Each structure stands twice: as C-alpha cells, then as structure tokens.
Amino acid sequence: MKVFYLTPQRTPEGTYPQFIEPVEIPDPDRLPIEALRPADVWVLDLTHPAWATSVLRNLRTFTDPEVYLRPLFGFPKDADFPDFWATLLDGSTDLGALPALTAQAEKIMDRIRRLEPLQEEHFEIQVLIRLLRYLYTRDQRLQPIRDPSRSTGYTYPFLVLHFQPTDEHRIFDIVDLGEREGLLQGRFVDRFHLCPDCYSAFLNFRETCPACSSADLKREDLVHHFVCAHVAPESDFLQGDELICPKCHRQLRHIGVDYDRPSVLYTCRTCGHEFQNPMVRARCFQCGAQHLVENLIEKVAKEYDITSKGRNAALSGFTLTLGSLFHIEGVVDYATFKTFLRHEIERVRRSQRPSTLAYFEFTNFEELYLSIGDRRTRVFEEIARVIRENIRGSDVLSYLNERTLLFLYPETPVEGAQVALQRITQFIHQLVRDNFQNFQPLLKTNAIPIDPQGTVESHLEQLFKT
Ligand SMILES: [Zn+2]
Ligand SMILES: [Zn+2]
Ligand SMILES: [Zn+2]
C-alpha cells in the first residue's frame, strides 16, 4: 500500500518510515492532484493547522470520488487540531502504527471500488449522494457538532464544506431530504433556534414589554397581606428593612403566615406599562433583528445512520426516483420487464395483433420535487393517480432509471398508447401551469409498435433513438 505524507515543507530524509513518501504542497489552494493520485492513502501533516485545514477542505470537496473519499489520516496523533476538522480525517496516526491504519484504509478503498459513476444531478441531490458515499465508505454515523464559529451553532462538517457561509443553514435541508426519502435514519440530539432573517443561532433571549418590546424592565415581587387582603408591589411595603402594610400599617413577619408573594409585577422603563406576563423575544447578534420566540426557526439537531436504502443510493448514485415517488402498484423491475417484452414479441409473431412499447421521461422532476416544498406529496400523488388511470391491468410498467418509466401495452396499436401518454403529459403540464408558474417540466415520450421480427435489444434501441 502506497502512503504519501502531505506536508507544506519537506523535512530531512529519514524522518519517516521507508514506504512513506513526503509530498510537498506549498500552496494548499493549488493541490498537485496528479502527483497525489498514485498513493492509496494520504497522511496529512497537522503541525500547521491553517495550512492543514485548507488542504482538508480542498480534498474533501473535490469533485472526483477518488479524491474526496480517499483515506486520509492526520499526523502527529497528539496534534492540537480543531474538532470540526478532525471529524473530516479518518483518524490520526503516529507513524509507527501503520498496519492498523492500512487495515482501515483497505476497508474504505474496497467500498469506494463498488460505487457506480455519478450522473449530473441537482445540487442538493449531488451533495446528498456525496454525503451518503462518505458515510457508506467509512461505515460511519453522521454526528452534529457544536461549533461557535459557525453561524448555525450546530453543524455537520462534511456537509457544510459544500456551502458558502451565508448558505450554511441549507445543510439541514440536505439531511431533512435524506430522512424524508428514507436514506437516513435520524435520532434526536438537541433542539435549537435560528434567526428567521439570517439563520444565525447566536440569539439573545430575554423578557420584553408586551406594549413596546423594550427589554428595559423593572421586575418586582407582588406582596399579598393576608389579614387585610391588600396586594401591592413589594416597594410599597418596604420601610427600611421591614415590610409594613401601607393599608393597615401592621408589620409583615413570616412568609406563608402573614403574607405571600403570589406573582411578579413588571414595569417597563421605556413606556411605563405594567404587566405580569412579559413576552420572551430574541435579539439576533448577527443581524440585529428582534423576534418573538414562536417566530424563530426551530430546528432539531439529529445524528443520522445511513439506511439500507441509503446504502443502495450511495452505490448506485440514485436517490429520488419516480419509482419511490409514485408508489404505483404492480411495477416490475427492469429485468422482469425485458422478459415480458420477449414474450410479447413472440405473441405478436403468432397472433399478428398489434402491441406497443413506450416510455415516458420526466427529465427535471427532481427540480420540481425540490422546489415545491410541502405540497410535493400531493402533487406527486396526483401525477401517480393519472398514470394509474391511464394503464390497464394487462399493461406492464417498469423503470429504466430514476426518471424514466417504461410501458408495454399488449393488444394496443401505437395510436392508442400515444393517446394514453398524451393524457399523462397534458395533465402534468396543466398541473404545473396551475400551481408553479416558474417551472417548466421537461417531458419526453415515445411509442413504437412491437416488431415480430425484432429482439428485446433492438426494440429498446429503437425506442430511445427517436
Ligand atoms: Zn394590611
Ligand atoms: Zn414598554
Ligand atoms: Zn439574524
């Protein structure tokens, strides 16, 4: 196993074991990727933290999975390295203990080799898949960490590297999406609040005046004198160190016996308003805006395990699929569909009756899914309904990939299948036009007759050629 030692400055020969080759990286923002690739494992010099964190950021956000997923360890083991960044390493090593490190690296590399190449995806999906792949190759749980240098307070280091500082809160959209789709399984860690204007967690909670929102309040106990039933602020009773009732002029000695303190009276020093129930408002340290607590964004920090569905998504690169969104009964997998198709070609050869093979592709459905928020379930159920209504029990439905449905219409001429497909696409266009003016669905369909002389492969080729 080839191990490279990444360092800002090469030190004299003989400092490292034979099989560790030092590679000098003077500028962390200009990584010599081609020179780094021949190694299976990288060990990062942690003695210059600013340099090391920049290298770490650039490696872990690199596009190529061969780079961002590569085993990466820190040296020396006892380096003073911030937690946020340490979570992005696969561990630390003192260079004497390489065998343990190589065993761990071997596991990660084995998993990297199983990943399918990734397609071009929507940004959120891309980041989600990168996360799933990172967790999968490490067999790791995603932990939120508390970091006062991040505006959201709680953060996920691997995710947050992919966002600009003003967009850091979007990491929570990514994990929410993963959990909603059953790719991640979350467990409660803590609840926290973000400013609705700037998403900062740096908030100052305090009691304020219900009338004018001022935080400049005088807080005073109310005193209730049992004998004469007089209730007034404590200051009305105070004479020197003693409590004397302003109404009956008797002295109050024992709380619970002579008197009690039933509640608190607030007086606003700004507007003079007196009240018993102040309102808790939070002032954002970041942008200065003040909000009632119930108007803050409440978030739950969770730790996440990757599910078996998530592992499949990590391997295949597919997260959202029309299949999982539409929940249509009786859908067969692609291999089974090809078997149906082969039988159908034979049947047409014998019976001479027309049959049709067709597909429907919703090229940008992920974009629609991600942009419509809470209405997505209803919208996708509507689309599923219209697809169901336009297939008969004898029709066969399958998925070619995450955005393409395949249809086999036995005993149906091409014109009949086209009518059904047209109804589906018209419905989607109408639905989107009525609800989401800024979205243009990209839909493609094609239908071809089953050719009694053709093969399964020749049909599929013909179908997608036009
Ligand atoms: Zn009294
Ligand atoms: Zn006031
Ligand atoms: Zn703010």
Side-chain angles (χ1 to χ4, degrees):
M1 184 174 290
K2 216 180 178 86
V3 184
F4 281 176
Y5 183 62
L6 282 46
T7 176
Q9 228 169 4
R10 196 189 287 258
T11 40
E13 297 296 330
T15 316
Y16 322 108
Q18 289 293 304
F19 46 101
I20 292 198
E21 244 177 83
V23 177
E24 212 169 296
I25 306 178
D27 181 354
D29 290 322
R30 291 175 58 194
L31 294 178
I33 289 294
E34 293 318 313
L36 295 177
R37 275 187 199 275
D40 303 298
V41 176
W42 296 319
V43 174
L44 184 63
D45 180 351
L46 302 182
T47 52
H48 304 85
W51 173 88
T53 54
S54 297
V55 173
L56 198 43
R57 169 194 295 278
N58 291 331
L59 288 175
R60 287 296 193 225
T61 57
F62 203 82
T63 321
D64 182 354
E66 292 279 331
V67 175
Y68 82 82
L69 292 175
R70 187 160 304 193
L72 176 60
F73 297 86
F75 172 84
K77 216 171 179 149
D78 56 3
D80 186 14
F81 202 53
D83 278 352
F84 176 93
W85 295 100
T87 62
L88 295 163
L89 294 167
D90 291 303
S92 296
T93 176
D94 46 20
L95 290 174
L98 278 174
L101 172 156
T102 51
Q104 195 186 339
E106 196 63 69
K107 261 192 231 162
I108 297 174
M109 284 150 54
D110 179 53
R111 291 201 163 188
I112 294 174
R113 282 190 282 270
R114 297 187 216 169
L115 305 174
E116 297 282 341
L118 210 57
Q119 301 197 337
E120 270 305 300
E121 300 274 358
H122 197 276
F123 176 72
E124 264 101 340
I125 305 281
Q126 232 177 64
V127 176
L128 180 57
I129 290 183
R130 291 173 67 93
L131 171 71
L132 293 172
R133 293 194 151 181
Y134 188 72
L135 298 177
Y136 166 75
T137 50
R138 268 96 188 137
D139 210 1
Q140 218 178 58
R141 173 178 292 169
L142 180 68
Q143 300 275 10
I145 69 163
R146 275 180 288 112
D147 187 336
S149 69
R150 298 280 155 179
S151 66
T152 53
Y154 277 105
T155 193
Y156 299 100
F158 182 82
L159 281 178
V160 85
L161 293 185
H162 296 86
F163 291 95
Q164 297 296 320
T166 48
D167 270 351
E168 284 187 9
H169 61 279
R170 288 177 60 200
I171 58 175
F172 299 106
D173 298 342
I174 305 288
V175 287
D176 286 350
L177 175 67
E179 191 171 28
R180 201 164 54 231
E181 292 307 313
L183 306 166
L184 295 169
Q185 165 92 48
R187 229 184 341 274
F188 180 92
V189 171
D190 199 1
R191 215 142 43 85
F192 63 107
H193 294 88
L194 297 177
C195 170
D197 294 332
C198 75
Y199 303 98
S200 170
F202 195 14
L203 300 168
N204 182 25
F205 292 85
R206 66 271 193 280
E207 288 140 338
T208 62
C209 169
C212 76
S213 307
S214 167
D216 188 8
L217 306 181
K218 186 173 124 198
R219 183 186 189 281
E220 207 179 351
D221 282 345
L222 281 176
V223 170
H224 169 212
H225 191 202
F226 293 150
V227 180
C228 73
H230 187 62
V231 179
E234 187 177 16
S235 56
D236 290 5
F237 287 80
L238 270 177
Q239 293 190 11
D241 285 346
E242 294 180 334
L243 290 171
I244 308 292
C245 178
K247 186 179 167 203
C248 69
H249 307 293
R250 270 180 277 214
Q251 189 177 1
L252 285 58
R253 288 176 202 281
H254 303 289
I255 185 155
V257 179
D258 299 338
Y259 69 101
D260 66 357
R261 298 172 189 271
S263 65
V264 174
L265 182 73
Y266 291 87
T267 310
C268 175
R269 290 202 177 92
T270 305
C271 74
H273 184 51
E274 287 186 352
F275 50 94
Q276 292 194 4
N277 297 311
M279 298 182 99
V280 178
R281 289 184 166 90
R283 166 90 64 202
C284 175
F285 280 108
Q286 190 78 41
C287 73
Q290 176 161 267
H291 295 279
L292 285 170
V293 171
E294 60 259 39
N295 295 336
L296 296 173
I297 297 173
E298 188 177 276
K299 287 277 175 201
V300 174
K302 295 183 185 176
E303 51 180 23
Y304 293 94
D305 281 312
I306 184 166
T307 62
S308 53
K309 192 176 170 193
R311 277 190 289 277
N312 284 337
L315 287 164
S316 68
F318 295 153
T319 47
L320 300 177
T321 63
L322 284 172
S324 65
L325 289 177
F326 286 168
H327 309 291
I328 298 171
E329 302 271 319
V331 172
V332 300
D333 65 39
Y334 187 47
T336 312
F337 186 82
K338 287 201 284 192
T339 308
F340 273 107
L341 179 55
R342 188 167 53 246
H343 288 305
E344 190 57 22
I345 296 167
E346 275 167 36
R347 215 184 50 86
V348 169
R349 195 177 303 145
R350 285 195 312 271
S351 71
Q352 303 291 316
R353 297 172 62 126
S355 280
T356 299
L357 174 69
Y359 82 91
F360 159 82
E361 182 183 312
F362 193 157
T363 311
N364 57 350
F365 85 94
E366 286 168 347
E367 236 168 275
L368 176 67
Y369 183 87
L370 292 168
S371 60
I372 59 180
D374 294 337
R375 284 182 291 170
R376 59 171 71 85
T377 312
R378 198 184 55 75
V379 167
F380 279 84
E381 270 170 9
E382 284 286 284
I383 297 175
R385 183 183 55 78
V386 80
I387 291 173
R388 267 197 309 269
E389 283 173 0
N390 283 286
I391 48 178
R392 303 161 300 177
S394 54
D395 298 340
V396 184
L397 182 55
S398 181
Y399 301 101
L400 178 65
N401 55 38
E402 81 281 13
R403 58 188 66 161
T404 312
L405 299 175
L406 285 169
F407 298 85
L408 185 58
Y409 297 101
E411 309 260 339
T412 308
V414 167
E415 300 72 42
Q418 277 166 342
V419 169
L421 291 171
Q422 244 166 43
R423 274 201 295 262
I424 296 172
T425 54
Q426 272 170 7
F427 176 83
I428 295 175
H429 277 297
Q430 185 67 44
L431 183 76
V432 169
R433 207 172 25 246
D434 291 348
N435 294 284
F436 316 103
Q437 280 79 6
N438 299 324
F439 186 81
Q440 186 61 43
L442 298 174
L443 306 174
K444 269 191 264 178
T445 62
N446 190 28
I448 58 166
I450 298 289
D451 169 11
Q453 310 313 323
T455 63
V456 168
E457 285 67 33
S458 71
H459 277 88
L460 290 168
E461 198 181 314
Q462 180 68 26
L463 180 67
F464 291 106
K465 202 163 70 185
T466 31

